[in-house]
C-alpha cells in the first residue's frame, strides 16, 4: 500500500504544480490526495509500525503519532474522497453557476461531520459502512453521471476528447472504491478486496501519465504546451535581439561600402555598376525591415488598455481586411452580434488579432468563399467565432499552428508569426484562442475573452489605464 500512497500523492502533486489556478484540477488533486489516505493508513499499520517494532527503533510517543496518522488516513479516504470527487465533477462539468457551487461546497460536507461525530476512534477506527454506503455511493455515482453527461453534451471536439480521457482515468478507481470500500464491506462483510487496489492504481497512474502527456487530461497537456510555447517565445525573443544587433552592424558595413561603390560608379559614369549597387542597397533595406518586423512580433507584448466597443474593433479589423476580402470575392456574414459590448482591453492589439484571423481565413479560401463571424456569451467568456469555407488544415499542421515561424502558406512573405502573435495577445488579456479544422470543409477559429472585462460603457478619460503598447502586423 506504500505504492498506492506514493502514486496517488504523486498525481495530486503533478496536478497542483502544473495547473494550480484551475478549480477542477484542484479538486482532482484533492480527490487523489484523500484517496491516498487509505494507502497511508495501511502503510502505517502494515509496513511502518511492524518495521519499527521489529528493529526496536521507535518510542511509544512516536508510535502513537503514527497511529493517529493511520486513523486520519482511513477516515480521510472513506469520507473525504466521495466529497472531493463530487466537487470535482460539479466543477469540471461546468453545469453549475458559481452561487450553486458555493452552496454545494458548504452543504455537501455535512455527512462528513456526522460521521466524525458517530465514528469511534478507540482502540481503533470503527467505521459504520452501511451509513457510509448510504451517502458515499450516491456522491460517487452522481459524480460519474455528471462527468458522463458533460462529455455527451460537449460540442467542442478537442474538449470532448479531453473529457473522454479524463473519464477513462477517473472511472476505474472510483468504481473499484464503490465496490470494494463500501458495497462489499457494508452488506457482505468482505474486507480484503481492497488489496487489489495497487493493480487499479497502477492502471490509473499509467493512464494519467500517458493520456495526460499525449492527449491532455484535466488540462495537463494544455499546460505543457503553454509552457513549451512560452519558453520558445522567450528563446526566440532573445535570439532575435542578438540577431538584430548583429545584422544591423554587418549590414551597416555593407551599406557604407556599397554606397561608396555606387558613388564612385556614378562619378565615373559606370551606370551598370551603379545600378547593381542600388539593388544591393535596396536588399539591405529589405533585410533590416524584415528583421525589425519579426522582432516586433517576438518581443513581449505590453498592453495599452482602455474601454472600447469590441464590435467597433471588429469592424475596423474588417475594414483593414477589405482588400484581401475583395480580391477573392469573399462574402462576410455577421451572426448573433450584440449591439454594444464594452470591454477593457487593448483595442490596437485586439484589432490586429482579428485582422490576422480574417486575412488567414481569406487566404485559405477559393474565390467566392464565405467567412461567418459570430459572437456569443457564456457564463465566463465573450466568445468570437470565425468560420471559413476554406480548404482546411491537416491534423499534423494543426498541432503546430501556434509554433513560431510555422506557416501553412509556404510563401516568402509569410513569417509564421501571425497566430503566435494572436496567442500572445489573448494570453495577455487572460483569454484563449482555439483552432478546429477539417480538410476540404473549412476552419473555425474561436477566441475567448474573460467576461469580467465587460464594462457598462466608455470610462472617462482619466480612468483609462495606460501601460504601453506595441503595434505591427506580420502574417
Amino acid at each position: 500500500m506504500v505504492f498506492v500512497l506514493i502514486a496517488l500523492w504523486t498525481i495530486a502533486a503533478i496536478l497542483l504544480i502544473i495547473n494550480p489556478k484551475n478549480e477542477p484540477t484542484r479538486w482532482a488533486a484533492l480527490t487523489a490526495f484523500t484517496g491516498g489516505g487509505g494507502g497511508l493508513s495501511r502503510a502505517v499499520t502494515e509496513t511502518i509500525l511492524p518495521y519499527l517494532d521489529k528493529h526496536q527503533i521507535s518510542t511509544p510517543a512516536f508510535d502513537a503519532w503514527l497511529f493517529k496518522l493511520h486513523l486520519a488516513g482511513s477516515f480521510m479516504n472513506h469520507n473525504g474522497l466521495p466529497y472531493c470527487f463530487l466537487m470535482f465533477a460539479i466543477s469540471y462539468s461546468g453545469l453549475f453557476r458559481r452561487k450553486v457551487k458555493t452552496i454545494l461546497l458548504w452543504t455537501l460536507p455535512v455527512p462528513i461531520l456526522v460521521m466524525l461525530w458517530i465514528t469511534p476512534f478507540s482502540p481503533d477506527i470503527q467505521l459504520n459502512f452501511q451509513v457510509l454506503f448510504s451517502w458515499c455511493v450516491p456522491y460517487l455515482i452522481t459524480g460519474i453521471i455528471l462527468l458522463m453527461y458533460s462529455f455527451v453534451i460537449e460540442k467542442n471536439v478537442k474538449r470532448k476528447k479531453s473529457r473522454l480521457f479524463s473519464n477513462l482515468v477517473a472511472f476505474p478507481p472510483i468504481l473499484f472504491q464503490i465496490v470494494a470500500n463500501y458495497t462489499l464491506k457494508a452488506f457482505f462483510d468482505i474486507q480484503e478486496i481492497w488489496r487489489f487496489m495497487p493493480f487499479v492504481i497502477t492502471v490509473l497512474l499509467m493512464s494519467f501519465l500517458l493520456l495526460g502527456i499525449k492527449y491532455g487530461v484535466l488540462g495537463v497537456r494544455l499546460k505543457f504546451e503553454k509552457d513549451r510555447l512560452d519558453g520558445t517565445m522567450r528563446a526566440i525573443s532573445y535570439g532575435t535581439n542578438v540577431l538584430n544587433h548583429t545584422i544591423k552592424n554587418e549590414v551597416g558595413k555593407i551599406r557604407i561600402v556599397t554606397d561608396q561603390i555606387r558613388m564612385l560608379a556614378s562619378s565615373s559614369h559606370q551606370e551598370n555598376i551603379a545600378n547593381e549597387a542600388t539593388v544591393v542597397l535596396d536588399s539591405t533595406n529589405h533585410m533590416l525591415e524584415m528583421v525589425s518586423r519579426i522582432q516586433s512580433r517576438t518581443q513581449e507584448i505590453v498592453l495599452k488598455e482602455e474601454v472600447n466597443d469590441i464590435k467597433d474593433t471588429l469592424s475596423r479589423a474588417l475594414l483593414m481586411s477589405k482588400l484581401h476580402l475583395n480580391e477573392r470575392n469573399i462574402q462576410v456574414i455577421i451572426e448573433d452580434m450584440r449591439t454594444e459590448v464594452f470591454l477593457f482591453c487593448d483595442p490596437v492589439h485586439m484589432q490586429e488579432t482579428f485582422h490576422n484571423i480574417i486575412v488567414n481565413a481569406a487566404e485559405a479560401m477559393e474565390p467566392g468563399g464565405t467567412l461567418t463571424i459570430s459572437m456569443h456569451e457564456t457564463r465566463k467568456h465573450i466568445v468570437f467565432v470565425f468560420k471559413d469555407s476554406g480548404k482546411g488544415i491537416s491534423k499534423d499542421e494543426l498541432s503546430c499552428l501556434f509554433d513560431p515561424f510555422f506557416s501553412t502558406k509556404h510563401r516568402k512573405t509569410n513569417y509564421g508569426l501571425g497566430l503566435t502573435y494572436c496567442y500572445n495577445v489573448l494570453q495577455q488579456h487572460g483569454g484563449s484562442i482555439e483552432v478546429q479544422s477539417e480538410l476540404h470543409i473549412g476552419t473555425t477559429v474561436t477566441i475567448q475573452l474573460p467576461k469580467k472585462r465587460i464594462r457598462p460603457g466608455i470610462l472617462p478619460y482619466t480612468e483609462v489605464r495606460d501601460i504601453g503598447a506595441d503595434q505591427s502586423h506580420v502574417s
Side-chain angles (χ1 to χ4, degrees):
M1 296 305 287
V2 174
F3 168 75
V4 172
L5 170 65
I6 294 173
L8 289 176
W9 283 12
T10 297
I11 291 174
I14 291 172
L15 290 170
L16 289 177
I17 291 170
I18 289 176
N19 208 358
K21 295 183 179 180
N22 183 267
E23 182 185 5
T25 303
R26 292 197 299 269
W27 282 114
L30 282 173
T31 303
F33 179 78
T34 52
L40 173 65
S41 172
R42 293 297 178 176
V44 168
T45 56
E46 297 186 354
T47 304
I48 300 175
L49 286 175
Y51 179 85
L52 296 177
D53 182 63
K54 179 180 178 180
H55 294 85
Q56 298 181 346
I57 54 176
S58 185
T59 64
F62 188 59
D63 285 350
W65 181 79
L66 287 174
F67 193 74
K68 288 179 181 178
L69 279 183
H70 147 67
L71 298 176
S74 180
F75 187 85
M76 179 172 66
N77 175 48
H78 288 91
N79 294 270
L81 185 145
Y83 166 68
C84 292
F85 177 72
L86 180 54
M87 285 304 303
F88 158 69
I90 289 169
S91 177
Y92 187 64
S93 67
L95 301 173
F96 299 86
R97 296 183 180 276
R98 181 180 296 274
K99 185 176 181 180
V100 176
K101 287 196 294 184
T102 302
I103 293 172
L104 293 173
L105 174 69
W106 295 105
T107 55
L108 289 176
V110 170
I112 299 177
L113 298 177
V114 174
M115 293 302 300
L116 189 62
W117 178 262
I118 68 172
T119 300
F121 288 90
S122 179
D124 198 350
I125 188 169
Q126 302 171 47
L127 293 164
N128 188 323
F129 286 102
Q130 290 186 342
V131 176
L132 278 173
F133 179 91
S134 68
W135 68 272
C136 290
V137 172
Y139 273 31
L140 295 172
I141 292 177
T142 301
I144 290 175
I145 292 172
L146 287 175
L147 294 178
M148 291 178 64
Y149 180 71
S150 64
F151 162 73
V152 171
I153 65 172
E154 180 61 64
K155 302 299 182 184
N156 183 287
V157 176
K158 189 173 182 179
R159 286 196 292 268
K160 192 178 185 73
K161 183 183 290 186
S162 179
R163 287 185 184 278
L164 172 63
F165 292 139
S166 297
N167 291 351
L168 290 176
V169 168
F171 285 0
I174 294 300
L175 291 172
F176 185 85
Q177 184 88 350
I178 290 173
V179 174
N181 263 5
Y182 301 112
T183 306
L184 294 179
K185 290 181 179 179
F187 300 106
F188 302 98
D189 196 30
I190 298 176
Q191 302 290 327
E192 299 300 311
I193 296 296
W194 60 265
R195 294 192 181 277
F196 289 99
M197 181 62 81
F199 299 101
V200 178
I201 298 303
T202 299
V203 174
L204 168 65
L205 182 61
M206 297 302 295
S207 302
F208 173 78
L209 293 176
L210 293 175
L211 293 176
I213 292 172
K214 189 172 183 179
Y215 298 106
V217 175
L218 305 176
V220 169
R221 189 187 180 213
L222 296 178
K223 184 67 175 179
F224 284 155
E225 288 177 347
K226 179 182 182 299
D227 287 345
R228 175 183 60 82
L229 183 54
D230 290 346
T232 302
M233 287 304 299
R234 284 193 295 270
I236 289 173
S237 179
Y238 174 77
T240 51
N241 284 333
V242 173
L243 180 63
N244 187 57
H245 178 74
T246 303
I247 288 177
K248 282 182 177 179
N249 288 340
E250 298 305 315
V251 171
K253 299 174 186 177
I254 295 172
R255 284 175 60 83
I256 292 172
V257 174
T258 303
D259 193 48
Q260 289 175 349
I261 293 173
R262 183 181 62 82
M263 290 173 63
L264 288 171
S266 297
S267 63
S268 60
H269 306 290
Q270 300 181 56
E271 297 301 329
N272 290 337
I273 296 177
N275 290 337
E276 294 296 333
T278 301
V279 172
V280 174
L281 288 172
D282 290 341
S283 296
T284 58
N285 288 333
H286 174 71
M287 185 181 297
L288 291 174
E289 173 65 17
M290 183 183 71
V291 172
S292 177
R293 291 172 69 188
I294 291 175
Q295 186 181 26
S296 69
R297 281 303 176 90
T298 55
Q299 289 175 333
E300 182 178 357
I301 292 172
V302 181
L303 302 182
K304 181 180 180 181
E305 296 179 284
E306 59 186 57
V307 177
N308 65 99
D309 188 346
I310 195 68
K311 184 180 176 183
D312 288 343
T313 304
L314 177 60
S315 297
R316 290 193 296 271
L318 282 167
L319 188 60
M320 287 176 63
S321 312
K322 187 176 180 179
L323 179 62
H324 291 84
L325 297 170
N326 290 345
E327 281 181 345
R328 294 172 175 267
N329 192 28
I330 303 299
Q331 180 185 8
V332 178
I333 300 174
I334 307 294
E335 294 182 346
D336 305 326
M337 197 69 69
R338 276 179 47 180
T339 305
E340 291 180 335
V341 179
F342 293 100
L343 290 185
F344 187 62
C345 63
D346 186 314
V348 175
H349 281 300
M350 286 307 306
Q351 179 178 323
E352 189 69 14
T353 296
F354 290 149
H355 175 53
N356 270 277
I357 294 169
I358 294 167
V359 170
N360 283 346
E363 293 181 345
M365 289 186 280
E366 296 295 331
T370 301
L371 173 62
T372 303
I373 304 174
S374 62
M375 182 184 75
H376 65 272
E377 297 182 27
T378 65
R379 289 196 302 272
K380 296 182 179 180
H381 297 97
I382 297 290
V383 182
F384 291 87
V385 180
F386 300 78
K387 186 175 182 179
D388 68 54
S389 58
K391 59 186 178 182
I393 305 169
S394 69
K395 289 184 178 180
D396 291 339
E397 291 183 324
L398 200 60
S399 64
C400 304
L401 278 184
F402 297 102
D403 290 352
F405 303 115
F406 176 84
S407 176
T408 60
K409 300 170 187 176
H410 308 298
R411 293 198 303 266
K412 291 182 180 180
T413 54
N414 295 112
Y415 304 127
L417 290 171
L419 284 177
T420 305
Y421 165 79
C422 295
Y423 171 89
N424 287 335
V425 170
L426 291 165
Q427 285 290 312
Q428 291 289 331
H429 283 86
S432 64
I433 179 171
E434 187 175 277
V435 180
Q436 292 177 283
S437 188
E438 192 170 344
L439 284 174
H440 313 301
I441 293 179
T443 300
T444 300
V445 178
T446 303
I447 286 177
Q448 292 190 123
L449 291 167
K451 210 169 180 179
K452 64 184 179 182
R453 285 185 169 271
I454 291 182
R455 299 292 186 270
I458 299 296
L459 292 175
Y461 179 77
T462 54
E463 295 184 47
V464 174
R465 179 157 62 97
D466 185 349
I467 55 176
D470 177 28
Q471 308 167 22
S472 62
H473 170 71
V474 176
S475 59

